[in-house]
Amino acid sequence: MPNTLLIFGGSGFIGQKICQKAIEQGYHVYSISTHGKPSINENWVNHANMTWIASDVVKHDTWQNDIPDSIHYCINLIGILKQTTKQTYVNSIIKPNDIISNWATTKQIPYLFLSAKFGPSDYIKAKKEAESLIISQDNQNTIVYSGLVTDKNHLLKQTQGVVLKLGAKIPVLSHWCKQVYPIDVNHLACAILNVVKSPDKTSKYVDLTQ
């Protein structure tokens, strides 16, 4: 089984969990992010099959020289929920997707983009713009929709998740709450790796909020 993954944003909250699960499942993983290697003391971080690359894909293309030709799947997790003057949706969602998805299409490497169905209006607009490019490309691309990502070690996220689950049972709130229905970060990581292992070639969409 081809087993080399390229994960953009692998040092982030979701990315770390996907990298960890991928290493545990026997993958070779290359993570590219502005921060490079995360400062956590866990065995998988230093595993021989785990490679950390520090690079800003919008500003530099040197990362292309640091990865092997054997990449068999590309995952893009780069993004921010709230933009600032320094970190905008254009530079943190739209441009990275343009660069990475076009590269993957040129190489004909399957590409997965983590999107969302609900959030700040400009955030969703940026996600939709990225999706428009993805669905127009001649490549095996997949758009994954996730709700609020929770973690048992983060009390605030867990609490928000409980509130959303309760809200989903209330008719007046259910439509909104179901669009961001919480998913544990471990379950999300496993779901994304399942897409990698068994992609649905008949659809470009995987909705994990349902």
Side-chain angles (χ1 to χ4, degrees):
M1 177 186 74
N3 66 346
T4 305
L5 305 183
L6 177 59
I7 302 178
F8 289 86
S11 64
F13 168 56
I14 297 171
Q16 286 185 31
K17 190 58 65 176
I18 295 175
C19 288
Q20 179 184 358
K21 296 290 185 184
I23 289 296
E24 291 172 353
Q25 293 181 25
Y27 287 95
H28 292 257
V29 181
Y30 287 78
S31 167
I32 298 177
S33 65
T34 55
H35 297 99
K37 183 178 178 180
S39 56
I40 55 175
N41 186 25
E42 296 185 16
N43 291 336
W44 67 270
V45 175
N46 299 306
H47 195 281
N49 291 345
M50 183 72 237
T51 301
W52 302 98
I53 300 169
S55 180
D56 185 330
V57 299
V58 173
K59 296 180 179 179
H60 310 287
D61 62 3
T62 54
W63 57 270
Q64 298 182 31
N65 301 320
D66 297 325
I67 58 176
D69 294 329
S70 58
I71 300 296
H72 101 276
Y73 211 105
C74 177
I75 299 172
N76 179 13
L77 306 171
I78 296 175
I80 54 171
L81 181 60
K82 295 181 179 180
Q83 66 179 341
T84 65
T85 54
K86 291 184 177 180
Q87 283 189 308
T88 65
Y89 293 137
V90 170
N91 289 328
S92 299
I93 295 176
I94 297 172
K95 285 186 177 179
N97 176 71
D98 288 354
I99 293 167
I100 301 165
S101 65
N102 281 323
W103 172 84
T105 298
T106 299
K107 299 287 186 179
Q108 284 296 282
I109 297 171
Y111 176 72
L112 185 150
F113 177 73
L114 184 62
S115 193
K117 297 172 72 175
F118 192 85
S121 59
D122 286 342
Y123 167 76
I124 294 300
K125 183 179 178 181
K127 289 286 191 181
K128 292 302 180 184
E129 183 171 334
E131 290 179 26
S132 295
L133 174 62
I134 292 168
I135 62 176
S136 72
Q137 292 169 325
D138 183 19
N139 193 24
Q140 184 182 317
N141 294 338
T142 303
I143 297 166
V144 174
Y145 293 110
S146 169
L148 175 72
V149 183
T150 62
D151 184 347
K152 64 180 181 181
N153 296 318
H154 290 77
L155 180 59
L156 177 59
K157 290 182 181 294
Q158 282 292 91
T159 303
Q160 290 172 332
V162 170
V163 171
L164 287 172
K165 286 182 178 180
L166 292 173
K169 298 178 181 180
I170 301 172
V172 71
L173 299 175
S174 62
H175 175 71
W176 177 82
C177 290
K178 286 179 179 178
Q179 292 185 75
V180 287
Y181 199 81
I183 182 171
D184 180 80
V185 67
N186 289 282
H187 295 158
L188 175 59
C190 290
I192 287 176
L193 290 176
N194 284 338
V195 172
V196 171
K197 286 184 287 188
S198 303
D200 181 357
K201 296 182 180 181
T202 65
S203 175
K204 288 184 177 289
Y205 302 96
V206 175
D207 190 349
L208 301 178
T209 66
Q210 296 180 346

